[in-house]
Amino acid sequence: MSAVVSSPLGRNRILNVVRLQFINKVTYIWMPLLVLGASWVISILIFAMIPIDEPKFGGGAQAPLWALMAVGIQAMTLSFPFSQAMSLTRREFYLGTLAAASVTGVMLSTAFVLIGLLERATNGMGVNGYFAYLPAMWESGWLGAWFTYLVVTMFLFVIGFWAATIFKRWGTIAVTLVLSGIGLLLVGVVFLITRLEAWPATWTWLVETGPLGLAFWAVPFIALMALGSYLTLRRTVA
């Protein structure tokens, strides 16, 4: 780590970036929590209207996680110009922004776990419906669920931040080309698996690995995307 980051002055400047990001509390705190609360209430109401006794599960928990992508986009587009006006380096802005995102990720993951514990203690809020307490996510306990939720939030945040950085650096066409390239890559992977008749082995690996294992696999990909977003940010003009 460079002397700028390791020195007390460098740490203070990074902390200033965290404070800068949290000036906009709507983006980093209230929007994720409001999306989480609204999607939870709506999910429970829908579960209550389903006339079956078996446990009911839905996909509403995705909503607040995807909200972190919007947080990543706004972290770049709304705050980067101010950071340059404050004479903060791009490295300081980047590390401080990741630290701020980590705080939001920890907050959101903790909220998910608390909701999951409440759902387990109340038989799915009395309607046998589960929003956060998903068996696959919780098979390694609450700590495994917390870590998995945290990895997903950071994964989506970095995607949003990098997309916004590419937009600031090269414009809309570049973002479109990158998204198209990712789509083609995914289609290529599906084609390869299909051509090799490897779907049974693929599904077996996914099931055996489980959400927690996949979360650990995702960590190096997040690190690579974070590095890519930083390298893009280095030449981005506010």
Side-chain angles (χ1 to χ4, degrees):
M1 192 68 68
S2 70
V4 174
V5 176
S6 59
S7 67
L9 178 60
R11 289 194 294 270
N12 288 337
R13 289 167 67 86
I14 292 172
L15 185 58
N16 286 338
V17 177
V18 177
R19 295 193 184 103
L20 171 66
Q21 296 290 11
F22 275 97
I23 289 175
N24 186 5
K25 293 182 175 61
V26 172
T27 296
Y28 276 87
I29 298 177
W30 298 120
M31 182 183 72
L33 288 179
L34 286 172
V35 174
L36 172 62
S39 55
W40 180 38
V41 171
I42 292 171
S43 296
I44 295 300
L45 291 175
I46 292 174
F47 293 147
M49 292 186 287
I50 301 176
I52 60 174
D53 296 328
E54 291 78 11
K56 291 160 282 191
F57 305 96
Q62 298 181 43
L65 299 176
W66 285 104
L68 263 291
M69 183 180 290
V71 173
I73 294 171
Q74 294 185 51
M76 177 62 190
T77 56
L78 297 181
S79 303
F80 180 60
F82 290 102
S83 73
Q84 299 306 283
M86 294 170 61
S87 300
L88 294 164
T89 67
R90 285 165 173 76
R91 178 181 298 174
E92 291 162 352
F93 171 76
Y94 181 72
L95 293 176
T97 299
L98 280 185
S102 299
V103 173
T104 300
V106 167
M107 174 194 70
L108 202 58
S109 302
T110 302
F112 266 111
V113 168
L114 292 175
I115 291 174
L117 292 173
L118 178 62
E119 290 174 344
R120 184 172 66 176
T122 59
N123 189 34
M125 302 304 294
V127 297
N128 209 9
Y130 299 91
F131 170 86
Y133 187 72
L134 306 177
M137 295 282 285
W138 286 72
E139 61 184 10
S140 298
W142 69 267
L143 186 59
W146 181 88
F147 178 76
T148 303
Y149 281 122
L150 178 62
V151 169
V152 174
T153 57
M154 293 306 297
F155 182 80
L156 293 173
F157 174 86
V158 172
I159 290 177
F161 185 85
W162 196 3
T165 306
I166 293 173
F167 173 77
K168 291 282 288 185
R169 178 70 177 86
W170 291 295
T172 305
I173 293 178
V175 176
T176 304
L177 290 174
V178 169
L179 293 177
S180 299
I182 293 173
L184 289 173
L185 179 62
L186 293 175
V187 170
V189 171
V190 171
F191 172 79
L192 184 61
I193 294 174
T194 304
R195 188 65 180 268
L196 296 175
E197 299 181 353
W199 281 112
T202 301
W203 288 117
T204 299
W205 180 81
L206 289 173
V207 171
E208 291 178 349
T209 303
L212 181 59
L214 292 174
F216 279 110
W217 275 100
V219 171
F221 287 100
I222 295 174
L224 287 174
M225 289 192 301
L227 177 61
S229 62
Y230 171 67
L231 294 176
T232 307
L233 178 65
R234 288 182 63 183
R235 295 186 178 278
T236 300
V237 179

